[in-house]
Amino acid sequence: MDLAQAKSLVGDGHGGEASGMTSTYTFEDGLSVHRLGFGAMRLTEWDHVKDGAHAVARRAAELGVTFFDTADAYDLGLNEELLAEALHPYPGLLVATKCGHARPSRGEWVPLGRPEYLRQQAELSLRRLRVDRLDLLQLHRVDPQVPLADQVGALARLRDEGKVARIGLSEVTVAQLAEARAVAPIASVQNRYNLTDRAAEDVLAYCEREGIAFVPWLPIVAGGHAAAGGVLGKVAADLGATPAQVSLAWLLRRSPVVIPIPGTSSIGHLVENCAAAEFVLSDADFDQLDALG
């Protein structure tokens, strides 16, 4: 079942009128995206595109996904190139990318926020994605060696030049988010967040209050919480869903500003993740799951 069909099951949103949830998120400039996105990181592996990756990306779009997330550091730009090959010219899609996290070797991730580097990487992302303007450019990590105002300022200048439509941040605190907003409008925040990892709860609360999209990475719970005897496993069994689907359904209901971006290189897992939009959590189920945090 695609997202449009799932939406028809519950009126105008995941969870129907009872939860007040909507199936889309609308940015300040009026652009709307489906609230179940796709993280493209797993489609490439350092020096090669995984088998079937193009088909997975295209199938995600066919299933109604309109928010795709990538980064310049995902396999040295190969991930961006893959999305361009599979989806360009991106009809009805938003492709978010990131800069500011260098990858000097396969096992290294180093924050690098010098303004000239951020500009260079943005220009390379424009070239690899084959666009004149990036839909959403996110600061991948805050570089502690560079003033945050300088890092956000570099992205703001790109926005002023028409090369970036929206600016986002990743892995930031509330204080950093507020500081960044003093420099430029911030459209989104991408922090790690899921059913059992809620260190960013205060950031989500800030985003909800201020109308900023919150994009949780690593959105699906793993480990013992997903076991058959646990709360998550029991709720999933009662709904006829998988623990992964319930994890995503919980996020969709958690806040109207949340846009989960589960990633996979498997069409089977992709279809399973997208079908999470079908499942409506009761208040009792939601409360049980909420208590896991």
Side-chain angles (χ1 to χ4, degrees), residues 96-176:
T97 193
K98 298 182 283 292
C99 63
H101 213 186
R103 196 110 180 254
S105 70
R106 188 168 188 165
E108 288 184 278
W109 295 83
V110 181
L112 186 52
R114 291 173 58 93
E116 61 270 29
Y117 178 76
L118 297 177
R119 171 172 286 276
Q120 171 186 282
Q121 295 310 104
E123 294 285 359
L124 290 172
S125 290
L126 286 165
R127 182 182 302 178
R128 288 188 290 253
L129 289 169
R130 307 178 194 172
V131 295
D132 297 322
R133 184 175 70 166
L134 299 171
D135 293 331
L136 173 61
L137 180 60
Q138 304 158 100
L139 183 64
H140 204 160
R141 289 293 186 275
V142 174
D143 184 346
Q145 305 302 318
V146 179
L148 179 57
D150 291 351
Q151 297 175 67
V152 177
L155 305 192
R157 285 189 289 277
L158 288 162
R159 184 175 182 267
D160 292 343
E161 294 168 11
K163 295 181 177 181
V164 170
R166 302 164 195 85
I167 297 170
L169 304 172
S170 181
E171 285 304 307
V172 292
T173 65
V174 169
Q176 289 170 328

Side-chain angles (χ1 to χ4, degrees), residues 211-222:
I212 297 169
F214 184 86
V215 184
W217 63 272
L218 201 65
I220 294 176
V221 176

Side-chain angles (χ1 to χ4, degrees), residues 64-269:
V65 173
T66 55
F67 187 104
F68 287 78
D69 179 81
T70 183
D72 69 335
Y74 292 168
D75 305 309
L76 304 180
L78 186 61
N79 202 264
E80 291 177 324
E81 292 174 354
L82 171 276
L83 286 186
E85 291 167 0
L87 300 173
H88 188 271
Y90 318 110
L93 308 179
L94 181 153
V95 178
T97 193
K98 298 182 283 292
C99 63
H101 213 186
R103 196 110 180 254
S105 70
R106 188 168 188 165
E108 288 184 278
W109 295 83
V110 181
L112 186 52
R114 291 173 58 93
E116 61 270 29
Y117 178 76
L118 297 177
R119 171 172 286 276
Q120 171 186 282
Q121 295 310 104
E123 294 285 359
L124 290 172
S125 290
L126 286 165
R127 182 182 302 178
R128 288 188 290 253
L129 289 169
R130 307 178 194 172
V131 295
D132 297 322
R133 184 175 70 166
L134 299 171
D135 293 331
L136 173 61
L137 180 60
Q138 304 158 100
L139 183 64
H140 204 160
R141 289 293 186 275
V142 174
D143 184 346
Q145 305 302 318
V146 179
L148 179 57
D150 291 351
Q151 297 175 67
V152 177
L155 305 192
R157 285 189 289 277
L158 288 162
R159 184 175 182 267
D160 292 343
E161 294 168 11
K163 295 181 177 181
V164 170
R166 302 164 195 85
I167 297 170
L169 304 172
S170 181
E171 285 304 307
V172 292
T173 65
V174 169
Q176 289 170 328
L177 175 52
E179 182 182 349
R181 293 183 73 207
V183 178
I186 301 300
S188 68
V189 172
Q190 185 175 145
N191 278 20
R192 189 174 68 184
Y193 185 86
N194 59 49
L195 186 57
T196 58
D197 181 357
R198 304 187 208 170
E201 192 75 55
D202 59 339
V203 180
L204 171 54
Y206 182 100
C207 288
E208 188 171 29
R209 185 169 65 251
E210 299 296 323
I212 297 169
F214 184 86
V215 184
W217 63 272
L218 201 65
I220 294 176
V221 176
H225 290 93
V231 172
L232 178 56
K234 183 178 182 303
V235 171
D238 290 345
L239 286 173
T242 66
Q245 289 171 328
V246 173
S247 296
L248 293 170
W250 178 84
L251 282 170
L252 291 170
R253 178 163 171 177
R254 171 63 185 82
S255 171
V257 303
V258 168
I259 306 173
I261 49 168
T264 181
S265 58
S266 159
I267 285 185
H269 287 155

